[in-house]
Amino acid sequence: MVWLKRALKSAQFKMLMLALSAGTLLTLALQTFELNLLEAYLYDFRMRNKGARNHAEHLVLISIDDKTVEKLNEFSPLSLKQHVTLLNQIGKAKPKAVAYFVDFNDSVLADVGSDDRVSKKNAEEFVKVADALHASDIPVILGTEIDMTGEIVPPFPLSKLPHRVAILHVDGTTFSEDEVTRRALFSIYDETVLHVRLAALVNGKTAAKEYRGVYQMPDIDANYFLINYAGPTQHTKRNFSEVSALDVIEGKISTDFFRNKIVLIGSKTKDRSNDYVYTPFSRTTFTNPKLTIHANIIETLIDDAAILQTSKAFDTLLSILLTTLVIVMLFRTTPIRGVVFTVACALIVLLLALAAFRYYGVWIRLSHPLMGIFFSYYVFVPYRLITEYKKRWEFQKKNEVLMQVEELKSNFMSLITHDLKTPVARIQGMAEMLARSGVEPKLVTGILSSTDELNNFITSILELAKIESNRINLDKRSKDINKIIEDCVRKFEFQAQSKKIAIRSELDPLFPIKIDVPLITKVISNLIDNAIKYSPEGAQIMIESGESLENPGYVEITITDTGHGIAPKDLENLFSKFYRPKNDVTLQTKGTGLGLYLSRYFVELHNGSLSAESVEGRGSMFTILLPTEDSSEKLAPPSSLEGEKAYV
Ligand code: ADP
């Protein structure tokens, strides 16, 4: 529970809530726009890329095509006389059913020219043949159109035959305004259409609820479903078994072709644009024959494969989820990653939607989620950039101020140290004169040691200031290190004796190496000084030098004492600026915490190293390694400056 409370109060949670609200608002705002054109495009894209469905071989198509019309010297959809011959031929083959997607009013017109009696005779003949087929259990059904008044019944006497509505829906206002056929009528005024009637011959299903994806159109008393096209609908890429009416009339098609099949008859000629529609596969005229679309509709029903649409609530949720996700990402990562994420997110959603369509026949509306993704990108990336720039600008300002402070500090340091040094030197000189003139020696030594201490402090500060302003230039000369060590030992003899400390040295003969003598002298002096300062009375100091055995090419100098030693936690920070361990010995001993920092810096300027080992209470050992060869003319900045810490 505590973690829940903490999580609810966390900055991340607040940010998430903010993004969620922004995502929701954006989604709701976008939903006031229909975006049907985009949705239609995305729908068609999926339809075209879903892959072809396997064909159930239930349907055969007879097209009244250009060849038929030309050869018979007729107009599409042929005169009734020709239809009588056609139906007779089909009937012989014992099909499962015969369905006409033909406007017989046109056929009657085609009979004009011959006189009325002939026309009537042909029509009656047609009805007779159809009735005979009915009697042998082969339904012959005429597809009809509808207009404002309802079904347009075929002309008498054809109206005596079974007929059913068989229209193609084109998207005009319900979805998109591009006149593409994507959905089909299932029933109107409670009457199922011809397609359902034919599908029922195979699967026995006639009720809307028995099929997937059938939905009601709220405004009209009609049910619809989305056609799951078997494949491309262009007549050049035929999916269905199809023959020309002429070949059937001329008896060129074997009866096996029609046996037990549902035969669909329709017109497909180049002089009737009405024979064609637009589909997701093509939007050029004279390309997608209505007959093929009817076959696709019937087959969608036979396979019960209508496309399912997700609910409005699902679409809204998906859109909110994705926009929120993109907003969160845009807030959390760099603008560049934000772009990559946005594009990747859109692509993944597209691919998932494509997969859902392809494998499950589910249509997830993509226009709002995709627009949500891109809008959040356009709204939030500039915001993000502005905050980023603001941060950078503030950082720059701060940096400028820091640089000014740094300059002030270094000016102040050199000013103070120079102005302090001169009077201290004067006091020192005068105290020496006093000592020589026989004044109480204790007093004078007091003055002298205090001025020494002050002097050391000022020198250290001066050196630090020099380091920090990069003003140190090495003045290298060949020098025997042992000579320097001996000089230093001599310098500290008196100080050591006063604490009864013995300094021993074991110095192997060495070739001179190139070093900055004053700097290295300072390092060795400082280490001997520390060894004396941080060791009790009677301790021992050992100074050794020689070629390093572990590091060939280096001279190794070790200064070992049997003093108080250093605790492991202090050992880590020993070489940091101003660091002084918090223990009694250190507190009672005067110092700045700069000696070791400067020593390591000076040694590293020579491309060498300074390290310390210690056992608390037993003593410490400091090791200096200096290269024998002057390997580099240009020195890399000492590592001790990188990521340094200061203890002030
Ligand atoms: P300072 O001696 O002015 O305090 P240094 O940088 O020379 O500054 O030394 C830092 C600290 O390291 C000292 O305060 C001391 O506590 C510890 N230290 C240095 N050398 C020794 C040593 N030989 N034995 C024990 N402690 C030491």
Side-chain angles (χ1 to χ4, degrees):
M1 274 300 120
V2 179
W3 65 263
L4 187 69
K5 263 189 200 161
R6 205 171 301 152
L8 288 179
K9 272 191 191 156
S10 69
Q12 270 112 326
F13 180 75
K14 278 184 195 146
M15 204 268 258
L16 189 72
M17 283 298 112
L18 203 76
L20 188 66
S21 327
T24 312
L25 275 178
L26 196 63
T27 301
L28 295 181
L30 278 173
Q31 278 188 344
T32 54
F33 299 95
E34 287 268 354
L35 305 179
N36 278 338
L37 206 68
L38 176 65
E39 192 59 59
Y41 177 80
L42 290 166
Y43 182 89
D44 294 353
F45 172 77
R46 276 173 277 184
M47 184 59 85
R48 283 196 301 274
N49 291 290
K50 77 172 174 54
R53 225 153 27 85
N54 275 345
H55 272 280
E57 298 289 316
H58 295 291
L59 310 177
V60 290
L61 277 50
I62 297 176
S63 54
I64 301 165
D65 52 7
D66 294 315
K67 185 171 105 176
T68 311
V69 177
E70 273 161 33
K71 182 80 186 290
L72 298 178
N73 199 17
E74 291 255 1
F75 294 108
S76 183
L78 299 185
S79 61
L80 278 167
K81 185 165 167 271
Q82 300 294 354
H83 277 292
V84 173
T85 322
L86 187 69
L87 191 58
N88 264 323
Q89 292 287 11
I90 303 164
K92 275 190 233 160
K94 302 270 178 270
K96 196 191 274 291
V98 183
Y100 280 86
F101 295 91
V102 158
D103 188 350
F104 278 102
N105 288 299
D106 289 350
S107 289
V108 172
L109 278 181
D111 269 354
V112 174
S114 49
D115 66 44
D116 229 23
R117 260 181 322 124
V118 178
S119 165
K120 199 161 171 228
K121 202 179 123 247
N122 288 338
E124 262 157 12
E125 184 63 23
F126 185 82
V127 173
K128 211 171 96 195
V129 179
D131 279 344
L133 287 174
H134 268 291
S136 52
D137 238 10
I138 301 169
V140 177
I141 313 165
L142 311 184
T144 54
E145 299 275 327
I146 41 176
D147 66 6
M148 304 290 281
T149 53
E151 187 180 353
I152 306 170
V153 178
F156 186 81
L158 299 181
S159 54
K160 288 195 285 185
L161 292 174
H163 50 82
R164 270 178 191 247
V165 170
I167 53 164
L168 288 187
H169 172 93
V170 293
D171 278 331
T173 46
T174 45
F175 178 54
S176 168
E177 287 173 17
D178 53 10
E179 313 228 311
V180 170
T181 297
R182 300 185 180 89
R183 59 201 78 223
L185 197 60
F186 184 89
S187 63
I188 184 152
Y189 310 127
D190 287 337
E191 272 290 321
T192 51
V193 297
L194 176 56
H195 310 92
V196 180
R197 168 80 177 88
L198 295 174
L201 292 174
V202 180
N203 61 20
K205 298 199 270 189
T206 48
K209 61 177 185 301
E210 289 176 285
Y211 285 97
R212 72 174 232 157
V214 177
Y215 63 93
Q216 198 166 21
M217 273 303 227
D219 309 339
I220 40 176
D221 191 4
N223 284 321
Y224 278 85
F225 62 95
L226 288 157
I227 307 165
N228 191 344
Y229 282 101
T233 48
Q234 295 95 316
H235 64 279
T236 44
K237 293 183 186 168
R238 239 174 242 153
N239 292 300
F240 294 90
S241 310
E242 185 175 338
V243 285
S244 161
L246 179 71
D247 294 340
V248 184
I249 290 168
E250 290 181 346
K252 286 187 187 154
I253 307 297
S254 98
T255 46
D256 281 349
F257 185 75
F258 299 112
R259 181 145 305 130
N260 214 20
K261 300 278 159 102
I262 298 171
V263 181
L264 313 182
I265 303 163
S267 168
K268 189 177 95 177
T269 53
K270 279 276 183 265
D271 59 351
R272 287 163 56 99
S273 61
N274 195 27
D275 286 351
Y276 301 85
V277 284
Y278 294 162
T279 67
F281 297 90
S282 164
R283 292 186 196 186
T284 36
T285 38
F286 297 109
T287 307
N288 311 293
K290 277 185 176 172
L291 186 62
T292 312
I293 316 304
H294 284 299
N296 271 287
I297 294 172
I298 296 162
E299 211 180 54
T300 301
L301 289 171
I302 291 176
D303 294 352
D304 194 10
I307 302 290
L308 275 184
Q309 24 189 339
T310 48
S311 69
K312 181 116 179 119
F314 176 87
D315 297 340
T316 312
L317 271 181
L318 182 71
S319 188
I320 291 177
L321 191 83
L322 289 170
T323 34
T324 307
L325 193 70
V326 170
I327 294 170
V328 168
M329 279 313 282
L330 289 177
F331 268 114
R332 292 192 70 119
T333 59
T334 58
I336 286 287
R337 281 201 197 149
V339 179
V340 176
F341 181 83
T342 311
V343 173
C345 189
L347 281 180
I348 290 170
V349 170
L350 204 68
L351 283 179
L352 287 180
L354 192 64
F357 199 89
R358 187 182 178 123
Y359 300 110
Y360 303 103
V362 173
W363 167 35
I364 300 167
R365 275 189 186 73
L366 279 182
S367 55
H368 287 107
L370 285 184
M371 285 309 254
I373 288 175
F374 288 115
F375 263 87
S376 37
Y377 177 79
Y378 276 108
V379 172
F380 290 96
V381 154
Y383 174 77
R384 194 51 227 282
L385 281 178
I386 289 168
T387 46
E388 197 93 333
Y389 274 127
K390 220 170 122 191
K391 243 195 242 162
R392 216 171 280 178
W393 189 78
E394 275 166 11
F395 182 74
Q396 212 172 319
K397 281 271 142 207
K398 223 190 234 169
N399 226 15
E400 276 167 21
V401 171
L402 275 180
M403 270 159 69
Q404 280 173 358
V405 169
E406 193 57 29
E407 206 182 313
L408 270 178
K409 191 180 108 191
S410 97
N411 287 346
F412 180 70
M413 290 270 260
S414 52
L415 195 92
I416 278 240
T417 42
H418 277 116
D419 289 359
L420 273 178
K421 250 186 124 111
T422 329
V424 169
R426 232 180 277 144
I427 298 171
Q428 221 170 1
M430 286 192 281
E432 272 162 16
M433 276 165 69
L434 272 181
R436 260 181 262 134
S437 67
V439 182
E440 173 62 43
K442 250 192 171 174
L443 273 178
V444 184
T445 342
I447 299 177
L448 277 177
S449 83
S450 294
T451 44
D452 260 350
E453 212 175 277
L454 195 55
N455 221 1
N456 281 344
F457 178 72
I458 295 168
T459 314
S460 299
I461 294 281
L462 252 185
E463 261 151 15
L464 181 69
K466 253 200 231 165
I467 287 179
E468 294 197 334
S469 54
N470 278 331
R471 274 191 286 124
I472 288 208
N473 288 320
L474 289 188
D475 179 17
K476 284 190 180 175
R477 280 148 210 251
S478 271
K479 180 86 184 176
D480 181 358
I481 282 279
N482 289 339
K483 190 83 192 31
I484 300 180
I485 299 174
E486 280 161 4
D487 287 349
C488 290
V489 170
R490 208 168 304 125
K491 202 167 72 187
F492 282 99
E493 236 155 36
F494 177 73
Q495 196 182 324
Q497 268 167 21
S498 64
K499 275 182 92 174
K500 299 196 180 62
I501 289 174
I503 306 182
R504 285 198 302 127
S505 35
E506 276 180 18
L507 311 176
D508 286 355
L510 288 169
F511 286 111
I513 57 170
K514 284 198 130 188
I515 48 171
D516 184 308
V517 179
L519 286 191
I520 296 300
T521 309
K522 263 183 208 158
V523 173
I524 296 172
S525 300
N526 182 41
L527 293 179
I528 299 176
D529 188 26
N530 278 353
I532 300 171
K533 275 198 314 192
Y534 300 108
S535 296
E537 289 209 344
Q540 294 196 357
I541 297 173
M542 175 67 152
I543 305 174
E544 288 164 290
S545 73
E547 295 264 351
S548 172
L549 297 175
E550 283 168 26
N551 301 287
Y554 282 84
V555 168
E556 187 175 289
I557 305 140
T558 56
I559 294 149
T560 318
D561 62 57
T562 55
H564 300 295
I566 303 153
K569 71 169 174 24
D570 295 322
L571 216 46
E572 283 169 27
N573 298 312
L574 209 62
F575 295 95
S576 303
K577 218 189 303 184
F578 295 116
Y579 185 77
R580 303 199 77 211
K582 291 185 177 49
N583 57 42
D584 291 346
V585 184
T586 310
L587 286 178
Q588 284 158 18
T589 316
K590 296 204 170 74
T592 55
L594 277 173
L596 288 180
Y597 170 76
L598 292 173
S599 298
R600 177 176 266 186
Y601 189 91
F602 294 154
V603 174
E604 286 182 354
L605 275 182
H606 286 80
N607 289 329
S609 70
L610 171 60
S611 56
E613 288 163 48
S614 180
V615 179
E616 214 178 351
R618 300 269 299 272
S620 321
M621 178 167 91
F622 287 81
T623 308
I624 305 169
L625 284 175
L626 285 170
T628 47
E629 295 285 321
D630 187 17
S631 53
S632 60
E633 280 307 309
K634 275 203 162 173
L635 292 166
S639 65
S640 53
L641 266 195
E642 288 162 20
E644 64 177 85
K645 296 187 254 177
Y647 290 81
V648 224

